[in-house]
Amino acid sequence: MKKRKNLDGADVNWGKHTVIFLQFACWEHEGRVIKTMKSMLLFPILLGVVSGRRSQLLQGLPATSTVEENSAAGVAVYDFNVTLSPLASEGVAILPTIVNSNPLTEAFDIVSKGGLEFRVITTGNPVLDYETMPKSFDLQIFVEDTTGRTDLNILTIHVTDKNEHPVFRGNMAIQTVMIYVLEGTPPERIYRVDAADPENAKLKYSLLPATAPFSISESGAIFSTKEFDYEKDPHSYFLSITVTDPDGLNSTRTVNINIININDERPYFTTKQRIYRIPEEQSPGTSVANMTARDPDDGDSPSRLFYSIQSSDRRFSINSATGELQVAGRMDRDALPLQLHPNISLVVRVEDSPSSGHARETEITIVVEDVNDNPPECNPSAFRKEANENTAPGTFHVDLRNYCKDIDADPSNNQFIFTGLTGFGSNNFALESTGRLVMTGTIDLENPANPGVEVYTLTVRVQDIAHPNYSSKYPFYISFDSFLCYIIYIYIRIKPVNEFFPVFRNLSYVFSVSEITKVGSSIGRVHATDKDWPPSVITYSIVAGAGTRDYTNIFCISPTKGDVRILARLDYETTQKHIFTVQASDQQKSTTASVTVNVLEVNDEEPVCSPNFFSLQIPVDLAVGTNVNGFRIECQDRDSDPRSFRYFINEGNENSHFTFSPSAGSNTSRLILTSRFDYESGLDTKWIYSLRVHITDDNLVSARDKTTHLTKTGTVTLSIRVIPNPTTVTTTTPGVTVVTRRENLYSPSAWYVPFVVTLGALLLLGLLGHLGLLLLTRLRSCCPPAGKAHSTSLINAPEKKKPKKEVTVTMTKLNTIFDGEARDPVTGRVYEFNTRSGARRWKRSNEPPQPVLAMQEMSSATENSGQGVDGAEAPSRKEPSEKRKELTAATKPAAKPSAGQETPGQAGQRLQKKKEESEDGSLSSPAP
């Protein structure tokens, strides 16, 4: 037991473990660093300030126990009991708790087994590791019962080592290792296994299967034992690598070894055919032969080979990937050189690489066979003719025989006929055997029986009489009934005739549009039709009306669609209806229709109020309900009833001191004070109120219609200055300043106004300049300048002194009307005040009206001729200076009393204490 002194100097007995110093440490465990701050922590556990309070409550402690490393959470480490004193009937106040550990750790905790039995267990955070963490821990366990008796004991826990399995490191620890070996590589080391034992014991390596052509050394190096051939040997090996420690514990991982194929074999052709036959005039892309080959390096997988033609013949091509031989150019058997040599030889090459690879070549022969491929030809192959609608039947159009021929040398093959007149509208035409095309009927484009087509497309077949072969070398050849036919296209355009006038859908149009419709908006559409076929392009225009006195054109119309749009703003109050004429024209014939535009009235005018800006001054004690300075607002609206106005203050009405009466239903309203000002308590702080008054014209609109009704708002700005209780006489009556704001707007229709004004100003300036020149010439002729000889006086005249100017200030007394009375709450005296200016004075019996001083400035100039000023004038010169001082004191504006100034009540108390009354008739505004 140690004795220490407390703060008062008295001795105090401290029990053992009274103060425990905890030191935080930091260590690394399984790659995770637990970091804490290193400090000295005072844990004030007063386990018995008096030595008699310490008792043995923890049974079985102190003690020593062991725990195996890598134990999971919840593993039992040690069991102990708590013994209570007979007085601790209520049990344990503080359950057994680990208050400290050395070294510091959170790997242990105490749990209850039931009753007074407890167990120390592992938490699993962190997991105990014999190799990386401390080998033992001292746990300080504290308990306290309900009587205040405490106990603190130590449990020492030793961590025991456990033999662990070897572990793989590197890539083998997390995945299967893939190793690639090129075929033909001589035996060598291909990989090194990285493994370690937690106890640093020597490890033994082995691999399976034992028949695999690989071995592993004592150091973990894997060697190949043979040279691999991809075409003969397996392509992949899976090795199980086992590492074992001296106690027989082992770990196994898999290594996948893949043999990489290399190009070491020549491909060979599998196609045996070497002679191929094709007809002439085959189209490009026609398949001739399919050359195939194999590469031994590819095994069972499809070979990736590259095919090419070594000869320079451009009539054939080969697909480099598939080996398909195709026709690339025209082959005409009747022309040279195929006419003499119809056989074509090609050398085909196959490679296993696009360049510098293994290759093999073979030669094939292609025989081009002759066919009858010369049908009749016509030049031109298409004819274009025109005919007006309603052309008479029997009209001749074209003779086709004059444009066709057959170039075959054999007479049996150069005979041809015309047949097969087909096409849309061919029933209106006939084809004679000689090749003449004539019209057989009348075509009326407007007739519903006709489809209304302007161009008829007819086709005629020209074919050999002798049986030809199936071939074609022009796009106009087709096969028909085993004959090779030449097709002639005849286009006959039927020219329409304008026979009908455009017709409006309505004789007149009526559009109703709101007066607030935006400029450029479409208000309606007119539509006209034309019975002519094909439909004529109808254009629309305004030919009459559509203007006013101010605007030449208020409306415009879309030339193609007939949309009527607004070019200028509509105004119901000016014009309620516009009538104009529109025209529809098909460039040859036209017709007109009337358009009436009814302008619908909309509430688009804002209330205009007078005045729209006003400045007011009111005393701070103005009575509630007073019309402020008699101010009245009067509003007008061009499109609203006078009863439709509503008045409300939108901004600046702090504490709601002001309102308008009436607030709605009238075009006039007065500004009313609704509550008194309270500056003394701090409720009011502003002395100048800027009110923004909004006047709306929706008073007569029902609540249901207000969501859709258009409401306009006018604005009035009021500036109200609150005058505090004056401390001096107010010498002037507050004035009213009326500010009128005008805004000049430019109207496009009044363009001549600035032009005329500018021209008039220029003419006036020129006239004034001319008059100035004439006046200058006149002055020079009448008053010529004096000569240089007379420019200097012979005798110097005495210089005249400038007269001195004297400014005299006179005082004029003006009467101020005091139209109100009140009693001072401090002195009980009655004082009078002016309701407009706020001026005050003590009320005195038989006192004439108090004058107010006004200052006038007068100027007089006297000449000093050397005479003195008499004695009577001297006081008069001094008098203005004294009067100015008095005037300054009298005309000083009233201000809010500062901290050092007295209020009228304080002044009354001071005067009452001193029993001095002011009888000089001056204003009772006590000085501070």
Side-chain angles (χ1 to χ4, degrees), residues 469-638:
N469 289 319
Y470 308 110
S471 181
S472 173
K473 57 183 176 180
Y474 299 106
F476 297 103
Y477 288 113
I478 65 171
S479 177
F480 183 80
D481 289 342
S482 302
F483 286 90
L484 195 62
C485 303
Y486 191 87
I487 302 300
I488 297 178
Y489 294 90
I490 304 173
Y491 304 96
I492 299 179
R493 179 177 178 271
I494 306 301
K495 297 173 60 177
V497 178
N498 191 358
E499 305 175 75
F500 302 95
F501 283 85
V503 177
F504 277 100
R505 183 174 296 174
N506 300 323
L507 296 179
S508 62
Y509 294 85
V510 177
F511 303 128
S512 296
V513 60
S514 171
E515 64 175 325
I516 62 172
T517 303
K518 293 183 179 180
V519 174
S521 300
S522 175
I523 63 173
R525 173 180 291 185
V526 298
H527 182 70
T529 57
D530 193 337
K531 293 183 180 180
D532 286 314
W533 186 266
S536 302
V537 177
I538 299 177
T539 57
Y540 302 91
S541 60
I542 298 176
V543 295
T548 62
R549 181 182 61 184
D550 296 329
Y551 297 97
T552 304
N553 293 316
I554 295 182
F555 304 96
C556 68
I557 189 170
S558 171
T560 57
K561 297 181 180 180
D563 288 335
V564 180
R565 297 183 179 272
I566 305 174
L567 291 180
R569 183 176 179 271
L570 303 178
D571 188 8
Y572 177 85
E573 288 74 21
T574 303
T575 306
Q576 291 79 31
K577 180 182 294 186
H578 300 271
I579 301 176
F580 54 92
T581 302
V582 296
Q583 175 181 281
S585 174
D586 62 0
Q587 313 306 323
Q588 295 181 2
K589 299 178 180 181
S590 61
T591 186
T592 60
S594 174
V595 176
T596 300
V597 179
N598 294 323
V599 181
L600 303 179
E601 183 180 12
V602 178
N603 183 22
D604 62 336
E605 298 289 342
E606 296 180 356
V608 178
C609 301
S610 176
N612 62 354
F613 179 83
F614 208 77
S615 296
L616 305 169
Q617 294 184 358
I618 61 174
V620 70
D621 56 354
L622 183 63
V624 174
T626 304
N627 181 196
V628 177
N629 283 7
F631 177 78
R632 186 182 72 170
I633 187 173
E634 183 174 355
C635 302
Q636 296 180 353
D637 194 333
R638 294 178 59 190

